[in-house]
Amino acid sequence: MNEKQITVTSPLLPDLEEFHALLKEIWDSKWVTNNGSFHKQLEKELAEYLKVPYISLFTNGTLPLLTALQALRITGEVITTPYSFVATTHSIWWNGCKPVFVDIDPATGNMNPDKIEAAITNKTTAIMPVHVYGKPCDTKRIKEIADKYGLKVIYDAAHAFGVEVNGESVLTAGDMSTLSFHATKVYNTLEGGALVMHDAETKKRVDYLKNFGFAGETEVVAPGINSKVDEVRAAYGILNLRQVDAAIEARHQVAVKYREALRPIEGITFMDDMPGVKHNYSYFPIFIDAEKYGMTRDELYEKMRSHNVLGRRYFYPLISTFSTYRGLESAAPKNLPNAHKMADSVICLPMHHELSAEDIHRVLELIVK
Ligand code: T4K
């Protein structure tokens, strides 16, 4: 096998010369971290780009989850989805809270709002849904339930950079939303992330929390952590923000080609665009019905691998099956039938801004027999 590897994603990288010019500025200033000028600039530009009132940069997409739970003083039980990356549930566990899993809606992969109320107990204080693959959750229904029971809502929006519903950012839903700017994401700062909030007071508190709780040179107001972003990654982020729209459009064109070729294939399904939603095409999951397709998900996955096409089974295995969580009552497979079905049938196809027509053809030719 000597075919070039086609990976599930490939990082959006800034122009090296432009990056070098910004590095020179950092070198000259000798101010390399702790809320430097590129950090401030990136926060401002991101708030504008994302149409959110306040945003705080973080050093990855996991720490904003941990910090949001701290900032909102969440305790007891948190209702969440098993169909996500492990960081979602780990953040609940690391805060000493108990995750309570509810099943997903098979149409979107997101938490099914119809299942939330039955999972609420007198210990429930929050809901942590995920906009899986960047598909927006039913934020209206979730808000109604949260308001009825006085619960906080923290959205893990790691996949939802730039996603809008009827012209409004999906990141403004809930009490807070978190983002990941990891290299594998639509928009990246190598490692990185952010927390989105509604008011200046909360941003102030979050900014203290991400800087050890310091509110001044000698005053510590909370048991904070270190999640600061350095100037090198902030500069990189400023440059990447200028080209992210073009990257999203390139991804869109890949999705158009995949959908066109896969629609007639029996036993393969995928998600279409949702009405009124501006998507970011962060992932392209397909779902295999082994009986109809004549091959299991894992057989197709291995076949692709053997041709150097590296799709990924995001999100298999389900979080609820990992040893830390499988003993929880809510982790019982009978409680999560749709999540199990999706995890057992998914392959995320290669999806990024640099896929060539030839790459797309190679991926499709393995699926369209
Ligand atoms: N919440 C949700 C819903 C998330 O999906 C994530 C992260 C988080 C929270 C936490 O955010 P972070 O703390 O990570 O910022 C990846 C990412 O590491 C992870 O960020 C992401 N979700 C998760 C879904 O996927 P892996 O283990 O699949 O990545 P890896 O290293 O196998 O890379 C996949 C492919 O990407 C490679 O085959 C090639 C390409 N790649 C990767 C890297 C790292 C590159 O071309 N260059 C690179 O530098 O986890």
Side-chain angles (χ1 to χ4, degrees):
M1 178 178 59
N2 52 13
E3 290 164 304
K4 175 189 101 176
Q5 228 179 39
I6 304 179
T7 50
V8 71
T9 188
S10 178
L12 180 66
L13 296 167
D15 178 83
L16 203 50
E17 274 185 30
E18 286 181 45
F19 188 41
H20 187 259
L22 298 194
L23 289 179
K24 175 87 174 61
E25 283 186 42
I26 298 169
W27 260 239
D28 288 346
S29 76
K30 298 197 192 313
W31 191 273
V32 297
T33 186
N34 287 6
N35 203 21
S37 58
F38 284 136
H39 181 286
K40 288 189 189 114
Q41 185 182 337
L42 181 58
E43 274 195 353
K44 189 165 169 286
E45 289 186 10
L46 274 172
E48 277 162 22
Y49 178 88
L50 295 170
K51 302 187 190 168
V52 298
Y54 295 94
I55 190 166
S56 183
L57 297 183
F58 275 72
T59 199
N60 58 47
T62 303
L63 279 154
L65 288 166
L66 287 167
T67 307
L69 290 158
Q70 282 287 315
L72 295 170
R73 298 183 172 89
I74 300 303
T75 57
E77 296 178 3
V78 179
I79 295 174
T80 190
T81 168
Y83 196 77
S84 181
F85 188 60
V86 278
T88 314
T89 309
H90 283 347
S91 71
I92 297 170
W93 198 261
W94 270 60
N95 270 275
C97 299
K98 180 177 166 187
V100 176
F101 298 112
V102 298
D103 204 8
I104 58 165
D105 173 349
T108 60
N110 291 330
M111 179 185 284
N112 182 348
D114 291 341
K115 303 285 174 187
I116 296 176
E117 284 197 77
I120 295 173
T121 72
N122 58 8
K123 296 201 183 92
T124 310
T125 56
I127 309 174
M128 186 180 275
V130 181
H131 303 294
V132 177
Y133 309 131
K135 299 271 175 214
C137 291
D138 188 343
T139 55
K140 197 163 158 262
R141 283 285 314 285
I142 292 172
K143 181 173 165 34
E144 280 163 11
I145 299 165
D147 288 350
K148 182 170 163 194
Y149 291 90
L151 307 176
K152 300 286 186 197
V153 182
I154 300 164
Y155 281 100
D156 180 338
H159 304 171
F161 183 90
V163 172
E164 294 178 14
V165 181
N166 299 324
E168 272 184 43
S169 171
V170 78
L171 302 171
T172 56
D175 293 276
M176 288 187 181
S177 292
T178 68
L179 285 161
S180 165
F181 302 154
H182 183 259
T184 55
K185 298 290 189 284
V186 168
Y187 169 81
N188 82 91
T189 57
L190 302 170
E191 292 274 352
L195 188 48
V196 171
M197 63 290 283
H198 295 282
D199 60 273
E201 252 328 280
T202 309
K203 174 164 165 57
K204 201 159 122 188
R205 179 163 157 74
V206 165
D207 285 345
Y208 292 156
L209 283 172
K210 79 172 190 197
N211 184 25
F212 312 100
F214 274 109
E217 201 175 309
T218 54
E219 196 187 359
V220 171
V221 294
I225 200 158
N226 180 1
S227 191
K228 292 172 280 117
V229 173
D230 59 77
E231 287 293 274
V232 174
R233 283 191 287 154
Y236 177 106
I238 289 166
L239 295 178
N240 256 357
L241 196 54
R242 294 179 194 162
Q243 51 171 2
V244 71
D245 281 339
I248 291 172
E249 182 46 32
R251 286 167 172 269
H252 180 195
Q253 292 313 317
V254 177
V256 168
K257 294 196 182 95
Y258 278 160
R259 284 173 183 158
E260 196 181 280
L262 296 176
R263 204 172 296 279
I265 308 301
E266 214 194 333
I268 301 271
T269 49
F270 52 83
M271 292 168 175
D272 273 305
D273 286 356
M274 294 160 78
V277 174
K278 184 179 164 206
H279 291 282
N280 67 7
Y281 307 96
S282 49
Y283 294 87
F284 195 91
I286 61 167
F287 306 96
I288 292 100
D289 178 328
E291 231 165 77
K292 289 191 189 146
Y293 184 62
M295 193 186 260
T296 66
R297 183 274 305 272
D298 288 341
E299 282 165 351
L300 178 59
Y301 172 76
E302 292 303 339
K303 178 182 166 189
M304 289 166 67
R305 282 191 80 80
S306 72
H307 287 83
N308 245 340
V309 173
L310 309 183
R312 291 292 292 266
R313 290 166 291 186
Y314 300 129
F315 289 100
Y316 164 86
L318 284 183
I319 303 174
S320 50
T321 65
F322 293 132
S323 58
T324 317
Y325 306 116
R326 76 170 71 112
L328 295 169
E329 205 183 316
S330 65
K334 67 175 186 328
N335 187 43
L336 309 166
N338 291 328
H340 275 276
K341 195 169 171 214
M342 193 169 267
D344 290 342
S345 64
V346 68
I347 301 179
C348 285
L349 299 186
M351 170 50 88
H352 58 83
H353 62 292
E354 282 178 332
L355 283 176
S356 66
E358 195 196 325
D359 295 336
I360 296 168
H361 178 74
R362 265 184 61 203
V363 174
L364 288 170
E365 145 181 276
L366 293 168
I367 306 169
V368 182
K369 298 162 289 178

